[in-house]
Amino acid sequence: MSVRTMARVWEFSKNKGNDLLMLLAIADFADDDGNAYPAVPTLAAKCRMKPRNANLILAALRASGELEVRQNEGPRGANRYRIVLPVHPLQNPTGVQKSTGMQKLTRTPVETYPKPLQISTDEPSVNRQEPSDGAQALSVGISKAKKDEITLAQFLDHCKASGEKSIPEDDPVWEYAQKVGIDNEMIAIAWLEFKGYWLNGEGKKRRMKDWRQTFRNAVRDNRARLWFVREGEQAQWTTTGEQARRAAA
C-alpha cells in the first residue's frame, strides 16, 4: 500500500460512495505512482460487492478520467490499474532555509535564535495546503468537465431530438467487434443490458461526458459477461448472454 497514493485519492478524487470506495481499494494495492494489479474478484470482495458491480464501477472510474486500465500489462497477464490524480507537491527546503538568512542581521545569535523558528512554524504547511499551479489547473479542468457530463437518459433524449443514432454505424465499437469475432446481435444485446443498468436504480444518477466511449469500454471488457472467445473461433454466448438474448427476443 502507498500512503501517498491513498492521500491523493482522499484529497483530489471527485468520486463519491461506492466509486470512491473502489478507488481507495485500488490505492490500497498501489505503489507511489498509482500502479496496482489486483484481480476484479479481489476488489469486489474488498468492497463487499459482486464482481459484476465491481466491473461497472471500474467502467465509471475509467470514464471519470481518474483511473486507467491496461489489459494484460501486469504480472502473469493481469490488468494494470493506474490512478490518475495530481501528485502532492513536495516541500521546497530552500524556502524554509531562507529564514536562516535573518540571522545575518543580528550580532547576538543566542538572543535571536528563537525568531527563525517562530517564522518557520508559520510557513511550513503552505506547500501542503495550497496546490501547485498545475494541480489548480487540473482542478479547474475537472470542474469544467463536470458541467459537460449528462445522464444516459439525457444522452438518449439528445440523440432522439437531433436524429442521431445512439451507436452510429461508423462507431469504433463495430470495428472492434468485427476484429475479435463478436457479432452484431451480441453488440445489440450488450447495448440493451448497458441501458438496463444505467437507466435504472443508482445507475440512472450517474453522469458521463461520453456515453459512447463508456459503452465501448463495456464491450471491450465484456463487463456484462455475455460471451466468451476462444482462439480462432467466433465469440459464443455464455449462459448469462443466452438468457439476455432470449429475454430481449
Side-chain angles (χ1 to χ4, degrees):
M1 181 187 78
S2 168
V3 176
R4 290 186 178 181
T5 300
M6 188 75 73
R8 283 160 53 201
V9 172
W10 280 118
E11 182 170 354
F12 294 109
S13 177
K14 302 299 182 181
N15 285 289
K16 299 178 181 179
N18 286 336
D19 293 359
L20 178 60
L21 175 63
M22 178 62 70
L23 203 60
L24 288 169
I26 295 172
D28 197 33
F29 292 98
D31 56 24
D32 287 348
D33 295 325
N35 294 303
Y37 311 95
V40 172
T42 301
L43 292 173
K46 198 173 187 67
C47 296
R48 312 297 195 272
M49 64 179 64
K50 295 182 179 179
R52 182 177 181 181
N53 291 339
N55 276 313
L56 292 171
I57 291 175
L58 288 170
L61 289 174
R62 289 180 64 180
S64 73
E66 294 187 7
L67 181 69
E68 289 183 355
V69 182
R70 301 294 181 86
Q71 295 185 352
N72 304 321
E73 289 191 6
R76 299 180 181 178
N79 291 341
R80 178 169 73 90
Y81 298 90
R82 188 170 79 88
I83 296 175
V84 186
L85 289 170
V87 179
H88 277 292
L90 297 176
Q91 281 188 323
N92 182 3
T94 58
V96 178
Q97 291 176 355
K98 289 182 180 179
S99 62
T100 60
M102 297 183 63
Q103 294 178 356
K104 296 180 180 180
L105 300 177
T106 62
R107 295 182 178 179
T108 54
V110 175
E111 296 179 1
T112 59
Y113 178 73
K115 292 183 180 180
L117 290 179
Q118 184 176 4
I119 293 174
S120 62
T121 54
D122 291 336
E123 300 179 356
S125 62
V126 171
N127 286 340
R128 291 182 179 271
Q129 293 175 354
E130 297 181 4
S132 65
D133 292 340
Q136 289 177 341
L138 179 59
S139 178
V140 172
I142 292 174
S143 298
K144 184 178 180 181
K146 287 290 184 181
K147 296 180 181 179
D148 299 330
E149 294 177 353
I150 58 177
T151 64
L152 179 59
Q154 290 172 326
F155 167 72
L156 295 176
D157 288 342
H158 171 77
C159 291
K160 184 176 181 180
S162 62
E164 298 180 18
K165 290 185 177 180
S166 303
I167 307 297
E169 295 177 359
D170 59 349
D171 191 275
V173 72
W174 301 109
E175 181 182 357
Y176 173 81
Q178 184 178 10
K179 286 182 178 179
V180 300
I182 302 172
D183 63 36
N184 292 351
E185 183 184 16
M186 290 177 171
I187 296 297
I189 298 301
W191 176 242
L192 290 176
E193 291 292 297
F194 182 84
K195 289 193 298 181
Y197 176 81
W198 293 108
L199 292 177
N200 298 285
E202 294 186 4
K204 66 182 180 180
K205 301 177 183 178
R206 289 305 307 268
R207 304 168 71 88
M208 301 290 181
K209 188 173 182 180
D210 189 343
W211 280 104
R212 290 184 177 120
Q213 182 59 52
T214 303
F215 177 63
R216 291 180 208 124
N217 293 338
V219 170
R220 289 191 177 95
D221 294 342
N222 191 16
R223 297 198 183 107
R225 299 295 183 263
L226 300 178
W227 55 75
F228 66 91
V229 180
R230 290 174 177 168
E231 184 68 27
E233 298 180 5
Q234 289 288 107
Q236 301 293 324
W237 293 107
T238 62
T239 300
T240 300
E242 181 62 22
Q243 289 176 330
R245 187 186 71 81
R246 294 185 184 186

